[in-house]
Amino acid sequence: MDYTYQEILRQPDTWRETLHYLQEKESYCAQFLNEKHDNVIFTGCGSSYNLSLSASHLWQAGKQVPARGVPSSETFLFPQGVFLPQNHYLIFGISRSGETTETVKALQHFQDKFKGKTIGVSCEENSSLLKTADYQVALPFAREESVVMTQSFSSMLLSFLFLSCSPSKSASNLSSLPEILEKHLPAGEKAIKDLASDLSFDKFIFLGDGPYHGIAWEGSLKLKEMSVTSTETFHFLEFRHGPKSVVDEKTLIIALTSQKAFSWEKEVILEMIDLGATILHLGKSPLHSPRTTEITFPEETLDDFSLPVLYLPFLQLLGYYRAKNKGLNPDSPRHLTKVVKI
Ligand code: F1P
């Protein structure tokens, strides 16, 4: 079986290892968390940039400190739009390989020009990124053979969830995530496999708000990379402002609903069903709507803080199974390499 598939399925165990690692490193991480700062920047490329979008939202909500996700290239090409000279920053450089040119350069440029500390987050302990950073979070157990990021992405995001917790927002709820994922994977995988076998869809729209928006982008990228499929990503209500004109019977909308905005998001989904779309819905409770495949997580402990990471494996499986149904090899995505260096 493809190693991409194996790595998707082993995420419950990888998440257990991640949480154990973070508990062991808690006093080390407290050092950088206590560094003087009034803003936090998360930066990466591709999947790692998508990760920064969700991480920054969750961090600001959890820590009540301004946080922002930015593509690595923006930090040195247009720094004036990212940093202010008078501010003190924590900047997290996110990179599975730790060798992506832009992300290494992002930390080096920041260290030369601005005030604050740099933290490298990677699966490669001896990488250029971690050698450059003031502090290191290394997750070698989340390494993967697959070119596309799967367990590395979810483990690094889980790390940020853990680090963004505070006395008022306990990390204890995170410990149940591996078991909850394990419980939902069999039925969720079957639903995804069935849906992915329908090759009549020719438009794929990912919708996600708040902390789910970065996850929507990541699910969109997984489908694009593995199955060579054109995809689009929007916030729910934004989709109404023009892009919905493309919706028809060949449209699959992957709707990542939240707790906080569910009533708004449900209205958009029902409107798109009326326009002919089919829905893959990941959420806390079912929509009970026609032409809708449901993967729902009713567990009381889950909220908008912990649900986003839980949606990831199912989005990764959508990309995997559509690739297989198109006769493509998810382990060797077209045009892609595991590390992008300039
Ligand atoms: C991340 C990345 C992915 C892309 C592909 C190649 O690099 O560019 O975003 O989807 O998997 O690697 P990294 O900086 O996280 O190593």
Side-chain angles (χ1 to χ4, degrees), residues 12 16 176-189 296-300 302 310 314:
R16 288 186 180 98
S176 62
L177 285 178
E179 185 185 345
I180 292 173
L181 176 58
E182 229 152 36
K183 188 181 93 178
H184 285 275
L185 262 175
E189 178 179 2
T296 53
F297 304 87
E299 288 82 356
E300 282 299 309
L302 298 175
L310 211 49
F314 303 95

Short mmCIF file of all heavy atoms in Angstrom, two decimals, residues 12 16 176-189 296-300 302 310 314:
data_model
loop_
_atom_site.label_atom_id
_atom_site.label_comp_id
_atom_site.label_asym_id
_atom_site.label_seq_id
_atom_site.Cartn_x
_atom_site.Cartn_y
_atom_site.Cartn_z
N PRO A 12 -3.23 9.04 14.26
CA PRO A 12 -3.52 8.95 15.71
C PRO A 12 -2.26 8.70 16.53
O PRO A 12 -2.02 9.34 17.55
CB PRO A 12 -4.52 7.80 15.79
CG PRO A 12 -5.21 7.80 14.46
CD PRO A 12 -4.14 8.18 13.46
N ARG A 16 -0.15 11.15 19.21
CA ARG A 16 0.21 10.76 20.58
C ARG A 16 1.69 11.09 20.84
O ARG A 16 2.05 11.64 21.88
CB ARG A 16 -0.04 9.26 20.78
CG ARG A 16 -1.52 8.89 20.86
CD ARG A 16 -1.73 7.41 21.20
NE ARG A 16 -3.17 7.11 21.27
CZ ARG A 16 -3.87 6.56 20.28
NH1 ARG A 16 -3.27 6.24 19.12
NH2 ARG A 16 -5.17 6.33 20.41
N SER A 176 -7.42 13.78 23.99
CA SER A 176 -8.45 12.85 23.51
C SER A 176 -8.51 12.80 21.98
O SER A 176 -9.16 11.93 21.40
CB SER A 176 -9.83 13.27 24.04
OG SER A 176 -10.15 14.58 23.55
N LEU A 177 -7.79 13.70 21.32
CA LEU A 177 -7.90 13.79 19.85
C LEU A 177 -7.45 12.51 19.13
O LEU A 177 -8.14 12.04 18.21
CB LEU A 177 -7.12 15.00 19.33
CG LEU A 177 -7.78 16.35 19.58
CD1 LEU A 177 -6.89 17.49 19.05
CD2 LEU A 177 -9.15 16.43 18.91
N PRO A 178 -6.32 11.89 19.51
CA PRO A 178 -5.92 10.67 18.79
C PRO A 178 -6.99 9.57 18.85
O PRO A 178 -7.32 8.95 17.84
CB PRO A 178 -4.65 10.24 19.52
CG PRO A 178 -4.08 11.49 20.10
CD PRO A 178 -5.28 12.30 20.49
N GLU A 179 -7.59 9.40 20.03
CA GLU A 179 -8.62 8.35 20.19
C GLU A 179 -9.88 8.69 19.39
O GLU A 179 -10.49 7.82 18.74
CB GLU A 179 -8.95 8.22 21.67
CG GLU A 179 -9.91 7.10 22.02
CD GLU A 179 -10.29 7.13 23.50
OE1 GLU A 179 -9.59 7.83 24.28
OE2 GLU A 179 -11.28 6.49 23.87
N ILE A 180 -10.25 9.96 19.39
CA ILE A 180 -11.44 10.39 18.63
C ILE A 180 -11.21 10.19 17.13
O ILE A 180 -12.08 9.67 16.42
CB ILE A 180 -11.78 11.86 18.94
CG1 ILE A 180 -12.25 12.02 20.39
CG2 ILE A 180 -12.85 12.39 17.97
CD1 ILE A 180 -12.45 13.45 20.84
N LEU A 181 -10.00 10.54 16.67
CA LEU A 181 -9.70 10.32 15.25
C LEU A 181 -9.77 8.83 14.91
O LEU A 181 -10.38 8.42 13.92
CB LEU A 181 -8.31 10.87 14.91
CG LEU A 181 -7.83 10.61 13.47
CD1 LEU A 181 -8.80 11.20 12.44
CD2 LEU A 181 -6.42 11.17 13.26
N GLU A 182 -9.15 8.02 15.78
CA GLU A 182 -9.16 6.56 15.57
C GLU A 182 -10.60 6.03 15.44
O GLU A 182 -10.89 5.19 14.60
CB GLU A 182 -8.49 5.87 16.77
CG GLU A 182 -7.45 4.85 16.43
CD GLU A 182 -6.42 4.73 17.54
OE1 GLU A 182 -6.76 4.85 18.74
OE2 GLU A 182 -5.24 4.56 17.20
N LYS A 183 -11.49 6.59 16.25
CA LYS A 183 -12.88 6.11 16.27
C LYS A 183 -13.61 6.48 14.96
O LYS A 183 -14.38 5.69 14.41
CB LYS A 183 -13.61 6.75 17.46
CG LYS A 183 -15.01 6.20 17.71
CD LYS A 183 -15.67 6.88 18.89
CE LYS A 183 -16.50 8.08 18.42
NZ LYS A 183 -17.21 8.77 19.50
N HIS A 184 -13.32 7.67 14.42
CA HIS A 184 -14.06 8.15 13.26
C HIS A 184 -13.45 7.74 11.92
O HIS A 184 -14.12 7.79 10.88
CB HIS A 184 -14.16 9.68 13.31
CG HIS A 184 -15.13 10.19 14.31
ND1 HIS A 184 -16.47 10.32 14.06
CD2 HIS A 184 -14.96 10.58 15.60
CE1 HIS A 184 -17.09 10.79 15.14
NE2 HIS A 184 -16.19 10.94 16.09
N LEU A 185 -12.19 7.33 11.93
CA LEU A 185 -11.50 7.06 10.66
C LEU A 185 -12.19 5.99 9.80
O LEU A 185 -12.40 6.19 8.61
CB LEU A 185 -10.04 6.70 10.91
CG LEU A 185 -9.04 7.85 10.73
CD1 LEU A 185 -7.64 7.42 11.11
CD2 LEU A 185 -9.05 8.40 9.30
N PRO A 186 -12.57 4.83 10.36
CA PRO A 186 -13.14 3.78 9.50
C PRO A 186 -14.37 4.23 8.71
O PRO A 186 -14.40 4.12 7.49
CB PRO A 186 -13.47 2.65 10.48
CG PRO A 186 -12.55 2.87 11.63
CD PRO A 186 -12.40 4.36 11.76
N ALA A 187 -15.35 4.79 9.38
CA ALA A 187 -16.58 5.22 8.69
C ALA A 187 -16.30 6.42 7.79
O ALA A 187 -16.80 6.51 6.66
CB ALA A 187 -17.66 5.56 9.70
N GLY A 188 -15.45 7.32 8.28
CA GLY A 188 -15.13 8.51 7.48
C GLY A 188 -14.40 8.13 6.21
O GLY A 188 -14.68 8.64 5.11
N GLU A 189 -13.44 7.20 6.34
CA GLU A 189 -12.69 6.76 5.16
C GLU A 189 -13.62 6.12 4.13
O GLU A 189 -13.53 6.40 2.93
CB GLU A 189 -11.60 5.77 5.54
CG GLU A 189 -10.83 5.26 4.33
CD GLU A 189 -9.72 4.29 4.67
OE1 GLU A 189 -9.54 3.96 5.88
OE2 GLU A 189 -9.01 3.88 3.73
N THR A 296 -19.37 13.70 10.84
CA THR A 296 -19.64 14.62 11.96
C THR A 296 -18.96 14.11 13.24
O THR A 296 -18.77 12.91 13.42
CB THR A 296 -21.16 14.76 12.20
OG1 THR A 296 -21.73 13.46 12.34
CG2 THR A 296 -21.80 15.49 11.03
N PHE A 297 -18.64 15.06 14.13
CA PHE A 297 -17.89 14.79 15.35
C PHE A 297 -18.67 15.35 16.53
O PHE A 297 -18.48 16.50 16.92
CB PHE A 297 -16.50 15.44 15.27
CG PHE A 297 -15.71 15.01 14.06
CD1 PHE A 297 -15.84 15.68 12.84
CD2 PHE A 297 -14.85 13.93 14.13
CE1 PHE A 297 -15.13 15.28 11.72
CE2 PHE A 297 -14.12 13.52 13.01
CZ PHE A 297 -14.26 14.19 11.80
N PRO A 298 -19.57 14.55 17.11
CA PRO A 298 -20.48 15.07 18.16
C PRO A 298 -19.84 15.16 19.55
O PRO A 298 -20.44 15.68 20.47
CB PRO A 298 -21.61 14.06 18.16
CG PRO A 298 -20.97 12.78 17.72
CD PRO A 298 -19.88 13.16 16.76
N GLU A 299 -18.63 14.65 19.71
CA GLU A 299 -18.03 14.59 21.05
C GLU A 299 -18.05 15.95 21.74
O GLU A 299 -17.68 16.97 21.17
CB GLU A 299 -16.58 14.07 20.96
CG GLU A 299 -16.47 12.59 20.64
CD GLU A 299 -16.60 12.26 19.14
OE1 GLU A 299 -16.86 13.22 18.36
OE2 GLU A 299 -16.45 11.10 18.78
N GLU A 300 -18.51 15.92 23.03
CA GLU A 300 -18.66 17.15 23.80
C GLU A 300 -17.36 17.95 23.90
O GLU A 300 -17.36 19.18 23.93
CB GLU A 300 -19.14 16.78 25.23
CG GLU A 300 -20.63 16.45 25.28
CD GLU A 300 -21.49 17.65 24.84
OE1 GLU A 300 -21.27 18.76 25.36
OE2 GLU A 300 -22.31 17.47 23.92
N LEU A 302 -15.08 18.50 21.89
CA LEU A 302 -14.58 19.15 20.67
C LEU A 302 -15.20 20.53 20.48
O LEU A 302 -16.40 20.72 20.68
CB LEU A 302 -14.89 18.27 19.46
CG LEU A 302 -14.23 16.89 19.46
CD1 LEU A 302 -14.71 16.06 18.28
CD2 LEU A 302 -12.70 17.01 19.47
N LEU A 310 -8.81 17.92 13.35
CA LEU A 310 -9.48 16.62 13.21
C LEU A 310 -10.02 16.41 11.79
O LEU A 310 -10.16 15.29 11.32
CB LEU A 310 -10.63 16.54 14.22
CG LEU A 310 -11.00 15.19 14.80
CD1 LEU A 310 -9.80 14.43 15.32
CD2 LEU A 310 -12.02 15.38 15.93
N PHE A 314 -9.29 13.40 6.81
CA PHE A 314 -10.36 13.07 5.87
C PHE A 314 -10.19 13.84 4.56
O PHE A 314 -10.45 13.33 3.48
CB PHE A 314 -11.72 13.34 6.52
CG PHE A 314 -11.88 12.58 7.82
CD1 PHE A 314 -11.58 13.18 9.04
CD2 PHE A 314 -12.25 11.24 7.80
CE1 PHE A 314 -11.67 12.46 10.22
CE2 PHE A 314 -12.34 10.51 8.99
CZ PHE A 314 -12.05 11.12 10.18
#
